[in-house]
């Protein structure tokens, strides 16, 4: 008992964390167990007395199956399918461990409360009750195991020990609560907790600059698709993890050390020169909680990316050892441990003795971590499994960082660094690397073209984000220091002024850039008119095709889903493969395509195909397109997002072009290397004769989203009508006020692909601001069906006026770019009032997308008869594992190879499509 009382804090927190982690594991795949007979899963089975109800529960669990997509794994691992019975069996096994842990927890807590206050049954009686709980729980689990395996356990065999367990457990809980109140512990607990909360709030405010940097890092890596994508592909090149760890270590040092400028009070006589040189003579003494707060900020700099990596792996279905534990819960556990270690001086006890550093213990720890870091690059560093080792690397670095900063000023013997010049000597080694990253970020905003990285350097996006955080950390730390010195709230005034300017001043920062153009369509620019001309241009071909083959002439309409560079790549891979198989010249596949309809990244791929069809005599192969997507299309956008766009918006002036112009420039330059013109006026590609003449470039319908009204908007080279496209805004109509100018093809395409935050809204005028088309409907299928309806009406008009027309066969091709089974709704584990609106908004576009493409897929035999094909990539194995297909504007070579190899999985459908087209 004395041992438990002496080390109660250690034992209590360890058992509390262990119980929490096991409970989290026991809720894994809980959704498979919930049904009308078992609304609470395993608990419903435990507390059920009815044999009929138990049989119903077990029968439903036997028949309930759910498949889980696993990516980034070895090829021998398949996507597992679990029945409810299998999940219940797993939970039952974990419950055996939980019995041991909570029994130990109750015993330890009872020892802490002993001697009991007031009349009590005595410790032996409490011990027997706890032991009885354990025995009843084990008995219950044995009968549950029998019921799950053989279905032969009577319901009361499970119910009886379960009820005894719950009754005794409740009595013990009530008794412990009474003892806590009588002994005055509950008051002390709440007082301690209140003190902890107030202290935490005070530390967050004291260290608000590094805390804000960490929040930005957390939101970027943990909460955003683009950030998760960056973490998943960071190991595609050895340069990725190396630069990431170096820049992250610099940020950690800054988050820990810069607060010394103004905590507890500002340093005297620090000029900009001294600040930059790191000349900070300091004779102040910080409070212990301030020291601890600074150390936690540095350690958190490693922990945030660590849990972000695990979160990305969990979302994408990449298995790892503790995948059943929510990464954020893991962060809270680790952070709680670090806080306790600092509060109770555990680290000092472990690594020092009488203020003298235990160098053997410390350097052993550092040596193990360094050896591990050096060995990590050899653990299949280009495979997704490597990310687990990288996250462990970050955890170890966070602990070493915490240990070193805690014992740094202790007695190191012959390595004693504690002198009166410690601050002046150490500061330059921290501030100068930060200033280098700061200079890199400023240079990147002045000359963003220097950061148009090719395939070898495209994984430097995360270091660029960290450089931006270093920039703001160094800048605002000095501003805060000066504000405290002069007693002026400079930062508050800066943010207030920037906010007011952004709200009150009409800023043309994100206004679309016009180019000179002239629309010369002779058929009144209407879609029906273009269709008539397109069909008339092929009339002899249609007639001869029908007479020669007896089959109708194929006319294709293609819709492409959004999904960033992944969508663009898959779209071009599929179409270029069809082009390749049909000769890749004049009468190749695209000759038979009337229109493309795309959303977001799908629009980018389709617009590239249009530009290539207009510019080139020979179509590009999937391998040619792959070379294009190996470039870095993301880093310059991140640079502008954190830099020039933030400065432009808060100042109210357009000092430099925004990131949308940079984005268009990157793609135009990369495509020009393939001799593809992507920067010409939008209508030119259909108004003038391209490489194959007129009517050879499929019409492009770029679906976007008008944020001002919530309506779908379309950018197209022809005039559209609300009769054919109800509830839609037409960008070409909005441009009619200026007949001599228009927008580039790149501008029109990216008007459909403006991811929130990564790309800005596109401003046409004060009442028309456009966002990503995927926010409304992410497949382009709704527009494709509307095009289909117009084509049917126009063809019937032509056929009724001239009976010599041959028959046509309309074919819809839908191009999702995600692996089947990975598309899912944003489900909330606990649907409550605060999160309900957000969940509904997140699922709105998903529902619209599913509805639009499902209508096309299921109505092929309705009034509008057509053929329908859906072509999506598969989770094929490549070099021994399954690559991840991320979103965003950056993708790994492995993911590109996998999508290209996925063409083989859709080969039967491709052959069916090719069978409709005359080709060699």
């Amino acid at each position: 008992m004395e041992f438990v009382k002496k080390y109660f804090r250690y034992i209590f927190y360890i058992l509390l964390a262990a119980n929490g982690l096991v409970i989290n594991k026991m809720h894994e795949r809980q959704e498979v167990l919930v049904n009308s007979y078992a609304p609470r899963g395993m608990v419903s089975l435990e507390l059920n007395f009815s044999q009929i109800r138990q049989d119903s529960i077990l029968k439903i669990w036997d028949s309930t199956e759910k498949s889980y997509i696993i990516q980034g794994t070895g090829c021998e691992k398949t996507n597992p399918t679990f029945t409810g019975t299998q999940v219940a069996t797993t939970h039952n096994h974990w419950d055996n461990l939980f019995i041991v842990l909570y029994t130990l927890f109750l015993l330890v807590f009872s020892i802490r409360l002993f001697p009991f206050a007031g009349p009590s049954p005595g410790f032996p009686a409490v011990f027997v009750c706890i032991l009885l709980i354990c025995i009843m729980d084990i008995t219950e689990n044995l009968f549950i195991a029998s019921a799950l395996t053989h279905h032969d356990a009577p319901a009361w065999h499970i119910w009886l020990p379960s009820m005894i367990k719950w009754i005794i457990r409740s009595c013990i809980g009530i008794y412990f609560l009474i003892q806590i109140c009588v002994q005055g512990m509950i008051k002390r607990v709440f007082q301690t907790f209140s003190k902890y909360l107030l202290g935490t709030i005070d530390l967050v405010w004291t260290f608000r600059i590094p805390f804000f940097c960490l929040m930005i890092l957390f939101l970027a890596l943990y909460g955003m698709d683009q950030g998760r994508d960056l973490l998943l592909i960071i190991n595609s090149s050895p340069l990725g993890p190396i630069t990431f760890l170096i820049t992250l270590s610099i940020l950690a040092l800054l988050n820990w050390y810069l607060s010394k400028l103004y905590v507890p009070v500002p340093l005297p006589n620090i000029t900009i020169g001294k600040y930059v040189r790191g000349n900070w003579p300091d004779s102040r003494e910080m409070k212990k909680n301030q020291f601890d707060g600074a150390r936690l900020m540095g350690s958190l700099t490693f922990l945030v990316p660590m849990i972000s990596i695990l979160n990305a792996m969990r979302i994408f279905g990449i298995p790892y050892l503790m995948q059943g534990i929510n990464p954020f819960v893991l962060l809270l556990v680790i952070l709680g441990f670090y806080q306790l270690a600092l509060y109770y001086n555990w680290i000092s006890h472990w690594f020092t003795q009488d203020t003298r550093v235990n160098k053997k213990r410390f350097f052993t720890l550092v040596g193990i971590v360094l050896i591990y870091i050096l060995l990590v690059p050899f653990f299949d560093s280009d495979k997704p499994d490597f990310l687990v080792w990288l996250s462990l690397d970050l955890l170890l670095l966070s602990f070493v960082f915490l240990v070193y900063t805690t014992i740094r000023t202790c007695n190191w013997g012959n390595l004693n660094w504690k002198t009166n010049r410690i601050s002046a000597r150490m500061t330059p080694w921290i501030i100068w690397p930060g200033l280098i990253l700061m200079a890199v970020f400023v240079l990147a905003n002045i000359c963003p073209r220097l950061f148009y990285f090719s395939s070898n350097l495209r994984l430097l996006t995360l270091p660029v984000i960290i450089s931006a955080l270093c920039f703001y950390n160094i800048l605002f730390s000095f501003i805060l220091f000066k504000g405290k010195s002069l007693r002026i709230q400079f930062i508050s005034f800066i943010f207030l002024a920037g906010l007011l300017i952004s709200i009150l001043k009409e800023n043309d920062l994100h206004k679309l850039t016009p180019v000179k153009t002239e629309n010369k369509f002779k058929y009144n620019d209407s879609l029906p008119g273009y269709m008539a001309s397109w069909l008339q241009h092929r009339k002899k071909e249609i007639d001869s095709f029908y007479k020669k083959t007896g089959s109708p002439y194929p006319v294709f309409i293609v819709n492409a889903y959004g999904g960033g560079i992944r969508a663009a790549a898959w779209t071009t891979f599929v179409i270029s493969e069809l082009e390749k198989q049909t000769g890749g010249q004049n009468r190749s596949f695209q000759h038979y395509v009337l229109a493309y309809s795309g959303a977001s990244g799908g629009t980018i791929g389709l617009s590239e195909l249009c530009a290539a069809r207009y510019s080139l005599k020979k179509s590009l192969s999937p391998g040619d397109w792959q070379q294009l997507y190996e470039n870095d299309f993301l880093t310059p956008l991140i640079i502008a997002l954190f830099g020039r766009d933030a400065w432009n918006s808060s100042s109210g002036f357009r000092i430099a072009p925004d990131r949308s112009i940079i984005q268009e420039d990157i793609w135009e330059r990369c495509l020009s290397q393939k001799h593809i013109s992507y920067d010409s006026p939008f209508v030119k590609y259909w108004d003038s004769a391209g490489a194959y003449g007129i009517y050879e470039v499929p019409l492009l319908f770029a679906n976007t989203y008008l944020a001002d009204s919530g309506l779908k908007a379309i950018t197209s080279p022809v005039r559209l009508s609300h009769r054919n496209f109800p509830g839609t805004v037409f960008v070409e109509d909005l441009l009619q006020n200026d007949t001599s100018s228009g927008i580039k093809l790149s501008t029109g395409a990216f008007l459909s692909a403006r991811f929130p935050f990564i790309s800005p809204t596109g401003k046409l005028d004060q009442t028309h601001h456009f966002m990503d088309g995927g926010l409304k409907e992410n497949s382009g299928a709704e527009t494709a069906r509307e095009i289909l309806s117009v084509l049917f009406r126009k063809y019937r008009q032509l056929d009724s006026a001239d009976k010599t027309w041959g028959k046509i066969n309309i074919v819809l091709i839908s191009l999702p770019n995600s692996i089947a089974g990975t598309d899912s709704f944003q489900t909330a584990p606990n649907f409550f009032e605060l999160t309900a609106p957000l969940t509904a908004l997140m699922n709105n576009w998903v529902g619209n997308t599913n509805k639009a493409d499902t209508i096309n897929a299921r109505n092929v035999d309705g009034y509008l008869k057509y053929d329908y094909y859906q072509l999506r990539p598969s989770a094929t194995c490549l070099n021994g594992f399954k690559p991840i297909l991320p979103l965003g504007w950056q993708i790994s070579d492995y993911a590109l190879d996998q999508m290209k190899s996925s063409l083989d999985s859709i080969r039967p459908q491709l052959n069916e499509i090719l069978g409709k087209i005359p080709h060699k």
Side-chain angles (χ1 to χ4, degrees):
M1 283 192 178
E2 293 302 322
F3 177 84
V4 173
K5 287 179 177 290
K6 181 178 180 180
Y7 297 100
F8 174 75
R9 290 195 189 100
Y10 297 87
I11 300 171
F12 174 81
Y13 289 120
I14 290 173
L15 287 176
L16 184 65
N19 277 279
L21 295 176
V22 172
I23 291 173
N24 188 287
K25 189 69 178 178
M26 289 169 60
H27 282 79
E28 188 177 10
R29 303 188 180 97
Q30 175 75 10
E31 68 277 4
V32 183
L33 302 179
V34 175
N35 55 63
S36 58
Y37 291 101
R40 291 181 293 173
M42 289 289 288
V43 177
S44 298
L45 180 65
E46 293 177 12
L47 301 179
N48 168 64
F49 185 76
S50 169
Q51 187 66 44
I52 296 176
R53 189 182 185 91
Q54 176 178 295
D55 292 341
S56 299
I57 292 173
L58 296 176
K59 186 177 180 180
I60 292 175
W61 285 355
D62 284 339
S63 59
T64 302
E65 291 186 349
K66 184 173 181 180
S67 296
Y68 292 85
I69 302 296
I70 294 182
Q71 302 181 73
T73 59
C75 293
E76 70 280 359
K77 298 179 181 179
T78 58
N79 299 332
T81 299
F82 294 96
T83 64
T85 302
Q86 290 173 323
V87 173
T89 302
T90 302
H91 286 196
N92 200 44
H93 291 160
W94 277 104
D95 192 42
N96 291 325
L97 176 60
F98 180 58
I99 292 170
V100 175
L101 292 174
Y102 82 70
T103 300
L104 290 174
F105 183 83
L106 291 176
L107 287 173
V108 167
F109 206 77
S110 63
I111 292 173
R112 173 63 181 83
L113 293 174
F114 186 80
F116 303 126
S120 68
F123 183 80
V126 173
F127 177 81
V128 170
C129 288
I130 294 173
L131 194 60
L132 186 59
I133 293 172
C134 176
I135 294 171
M136 289 296 102
D137 211 347
I138 292 174
T139 304
E140 170 203 312
N141 280 1
L142 291 175
F143 284 119
I144 288 177
S146 177
L148 292 172
T149 305
H150 306 293
H151 292 199
D152 59 354
W156 71 271
H157 283 189
I158 300 174
W159 173 83
L160 182 60
S162 177
M163 287 301 297
I164 295 174
K165 174 195 72 175
W166 281 104
I167 291 171
I168 301 177
R169 187 190 288 174
S170 300
C171 293
I172 289 291
I174 294 171
Y175 181 71
F176 281 179
L177 184 61
I178 293 172
Q179 286 293 322
I180 289 172
C181 293
V182 172
Q183 295 184 26
M185 292 178 62
I186 193 166
K187 179 181 178 181
R188 293 196 298 272
V189 168
F190 278 106
Q191 287 175 339
T192 302
F193 189 67
S194 299
K195 181 181 178 181
Y196 170 78
L197 283 178
L198 291 174
T200 301
I201 294 172
D202 179 65
L203 286 177
V204 167
W205 177 248
T206 301
F207 300 101
R208 52 192 176 275
I209 302 300
F211 179 78
F212 181 77
C213 289
L214 291 173
M215 285 300 298
I216 294 296
L217 190 65
F218 176 81
L219 293 174
L221 300 184
Y222 192 94
M224 294 182 64
D225 291 336
Q226 303 274 346
R228 291 192 287 264
D229 295 343
L230 290 175
L231 292 170
L232 289 175
I233 65 175
I234 189 175
N235 61 319
S236 298
S237 168
L239 187 63
I242 293 172
T243 55
F244 173 60
L245 290 177
I246 291 174
T247 53
L248 191 67
S249 299
I250 295 172
L251 178 62
L253 289 169
L254 293 174
N255 283 338
W256 161 60
Y257 201 78
L258 288 184
S259 57
K260 293 180 181 293
L261 270 174
Y262 48 82
V263 177
V265 293
L267 283 170
N269 304 318
I270 299 295
T271 61
I272 294 180
K274 289 184 177 180
Y275 179 61
V276 171
R277 293 195 305 271
N279 184 13
W280 304 0
D282 186 9
S283 57
R284 303 166 306 163
E285 285 293 332
M286 293 173 64
K287 298 179 181 177
K288 183 181 183 303
N289 67 324
Q290 293 171 337
F291 274 121
D292 293 345
R295 293 159 185 163
L296 283 175
M297 291 298 164
S299 293
L300 271 171
T301 309
F302 295 104
L303 292 177
V304 167
M306 182 206 79
I307 61 121
S308 299
I309 290 174
L310 298 180
N311 182 55
M313 295 178 70
R314 191 169 66 100
I315 289 175
F316 278 86
I318 306 173
Y320 59 94
L321 183 61
M322 303 180 71
Q323 61 185 0
I325 301 172
N326 188 296
F328 192 75
V329 173
L330 194 61
L331 173 66
L332 295 179
V333 171
I334 296 171
L335 183 60
F337 170 74
Y338 283 2
Q339 288 180 299
L340 291 171
L342 291 171
Y343 183 79
Y344 293 113
N345 297 314
W346 293 347
I347 293 176
S348 297
H349 294 159
W350 296 336
F351 291 95
T352 64
Q353 186 175 6
D354 297 329
T355 71
R356 187 178 181 87
V357 176
N358 188 328
K359 289 180 287 187
K360 180 179 179 180
R361 187 173 294 178
F362 173 75
F363 285 113
T364 299
L365 171 67
V366 172
I368 292 172
V369 173
L370 287 177
I371 292 172
Y372 173 78
I373 292 174
L374 294 174
L375 288 178
V376 159
F378 300 100
F379 295 160
D380 289 330
S381 61
D382 56 350
K383 309 292 178 61
D385 291 343
F386 165 82
L387 297 172
V388 177
W389 302 110
L390 181 60
S391 63
L392 181 57
D393 191 355
L394 293 170
L395 175 61
L396 293 174
L397 283 173
S398 72
F399 184 67
V400 170
F401 186 93
L402 190 70
V403 170
Y404 170 70
T405 54
T406 302
I407 65 175
R408 179 178 67 92
T409 55
C410 294
N411 185 358
W412 289 75
N414 56 353
L415 295 177
N416 191 11
W417 297 335
K418 185 176 180 181
T419 66
N420 293 330
R421 299 183 60 204
I422 181 67
S423 296
R425 292 173 58 190
M426 187 169 187
T427 305
W429 296 100
I430 297 175
I431 192 73
W432 291 350
L435 289 172
I436 293 174
L437 295 183
M438 187 178 185
V440 169
F441 180 68
V442 173
L443 176 64
N445 278 278
I446 296 173
C447 303
R449 288 183 178 177
L450 295 176
F451 292 79
Y452 288 8
F453 295 136
S454 59
S455 59
N456 295 329
L457 297 175
R458 70 180 186 273
L459 296 172
L460 294 177
T461 309
L462 278 176
V464 166
I465 294 176
I466 295 171
S467 297
L469 295 178
C470 291
F471 170 85
Y472 287 109
N473 199 338
I474 294 173
L475 176 64
F476 280 102
S477 291
F478 187 75
I479 293 175
L480 180 61
F481 156 71
K482 277 299 180 183
K484 283 181 171 289
S485 299
L486 300 175
R487 297 183 180 179
I488 300 175
Q489 297 293 330
F490 283 125
I491 294 180
S492 299
F493 289 134
I494 290 172
F495 274 102
L496 182 61
L499 182 63
L500 289 176
I501 290 172
S502 300
I503 294 174
L504 300 177
K505 188 177 187 305
E506 182 68 28
N507 196 332
D508 290 335
L509 171 62
H510 304 307
K511 193 167 185 178
L512 303 184
T513 304
V515 293
K516 290 185 178 181
T517 185
E518 185 176 354
N519 192 331
K520 296 180 180 178
F521 280 130
K522 298 179 181 178
Y523 32 79
N524 231 5
D525 293 356
S526 70
L527 176 59
Y530 182 90
M531 287 180 173
S533 299
W534 190 89
L535 291 169
Q536 288 286 357
H537 189 70
R538 289 163 172 75
K539 186 175 188 306
K540 291 182 180 180
E541 189 180 336
I542 294 172
D543 294 341
S544 63
F545 183 85
Y546 183 69
K547 292 175 182 178
K548 184 177 179 180
T549 65
S551 300
Y553 185 86
V555 177
F556 294 91
I557 299 173
V558 181
N559 68 273
Y561 279 61
I565 198 170
R566 178 184 76 190
W570 179 244
T571 300
T572 52
F573 284 178
V574 172
I575 301 301
S576 61
E577 179 65 17
L578 290 169
E579 284 275 289
K580 175 183 173 183
Q581 297 299 325
T582 51
Q585 295 182 353
N586 182 26
R587 294 297 177 88
S588 58
F589 173 75
Q590 290 192 89
H591 173 72
Y592 303 94
V593 179
L594 170 67
Y596 289 140
S597 172
S600 194
T603 300
I604 302 307
L606 295 174
S607 65
E608 291 173 318
L609 290 166
C610 291
R613 180 73 176 172
Y614 179 85
S615 305
L616 305 176
K617 279 285 187 180
K618 179 72 174 177
S619 64
L620 298 181
S621 67
D624 296 325
W625 287 111
Q626 179 173 350
Q627 293 175 1
L628 171 71
Y629 299 124
E630 289 173 354
N631 291 292
D632 178 11
F633 297 102
L634 180 61
T635 302
L637 303 185
I638 298 296
I639 291 169
L641 170 64
F642 283 97
R644 57 165 66 187
D645 277 13
W647 309 333
N648 286 338
S649 179
S650 58
S651 67
F653 299 101
R654 190 173 185 176
I655 303 171
D658 73 338
R659 60 190 184 278
S660 66
I661 295 177
I662 293 174
Q663 185 175 44
E664 293 167 16
D665 184 54
I666 303 170
W667 286 83
E668 289 167 2
R669 285 173 172 270
C670 290
L671 284 167
S672 67
Q673 295 174 7
K674 299 287 184 184
H675 308 290
I676 298 173
S677 172
Y678 198 54
D679 58 352
S680 298
F682 196 98
V683 297
K684 177 183 176 181
Y685 297 84
W686 295 269
D687 184 20
S688 59
Y692 298 119
I694 59 175
Y695 307 117
E696 287 296 334
V697 178
L699 285 175
L700 176 63
F701 291 76
N703 297 279
T704 182
Y705 176 61
L706 184 60
D708 305 78
S709 64
L711 295 174
K712 178 179 73 174
I714 297 176
T715 306
S716 73
V718 293
R719 295 292 301 278
L720 307 177
S721 70
H722 291 288
R723 174 175 176 268
N724 298 325
F725 299 86
T728 305
V729 176
F730 309 127
V731 176
E732 64 272 15
D733 286 353
L734 302 176
L735 296 171
Q736 288 301 305
N737 294 330
D738 188 354
T739 57
S740 63
S741 65
I743 56 177
K744 296 183 294 185
L745 176 63
S746 59
T747 304
F750 276 102
L751 206 59
S752 173
R754 290 182 176 252
F755 298 166
F757 303 112
I758 297 300
S759 301
T761 57
K763 176 182 177 181
L764 192 61
D765 53 44
Q766 293 185 6
T767 58
H768 295 92
H769 300 82
F770 299 97
M771 296 184 69
D772 194 279
L775 295 175
K776 185 67 176 178
E777 192 268 295
N778 197 41
S779 68
E782 181 183 69
T783 300
R785 186 168 182 83
E786 291 167 339
I787 298 169
L788 173 70
S789 300
V790 178
L791 176 59
F792 262 105
R793 288 196 296 270
K794 176 51 61 177
Y795 176 73
R796 292 183 65 180
Q797 290 176 6
L798 294 174
D799 186 51
S800 61
D802 184 355
K803 297 299 182 181
T804 63
W805 275 90
K807 294 183 178 181
I808 65 172
N809 175 32
I810 301 177
V811 183
L812 287 188
I813 298 178
S814 180
L815 299 177
N817 52 79
S818 60
I819 296 169
T822 59
D823 299 319
S824 62
F825 292 95
Q826 298 291 327
T827 57
N830 184 20
F831 205 88
F832 70 107
E833 292 301 320
L834 291 178
T835 61
L838 181 61
T839 303
L841 289 173
M842 289 294 294
N843 285 329
N844 182 55
W845 66 269
V846 180
N848 291 339
T849 301
N850 291 338
K851 176 184 176 182
D853 209 11
T854 301
I855 289 174
N856 288 356
R858 294 183 179 178
N859 287 275
V860 294
D861 295 324
Y863 172 72
L864 305 177
K865 295 186 181 297
Y866 55 90
D867 293 334
Y868 174 87
Y869 294 91
Q870 187 181 80
L871 309 174
R872 64 162 74 229
S874 60
T876 55
C877 285
L878 190 71
N879 293 335
F881 76 104
K882 304 170 188 174
I884 299 300
L885 302 183
L887 298 168
W889 293 120
Q890 198 177 91
I891 192 168
S892 68
D893 292 342
Y894 279 122
L896 290 171
D897 289 338
Q898 189 216 12
M899 282 197 290
K900 198 166 66 171
S901 66
S902 291
L903 294 173
D904 293 331
S905 66
I906 61 170
R907 188 66 59 187
Q909 293 170 289
L910 293 177
N911 290 337
E912 282 189 40
I913 294 171
L914 292 170
K916 301 176 183 296
I917 305 171
H919 65 284
K920 296 181 181 180

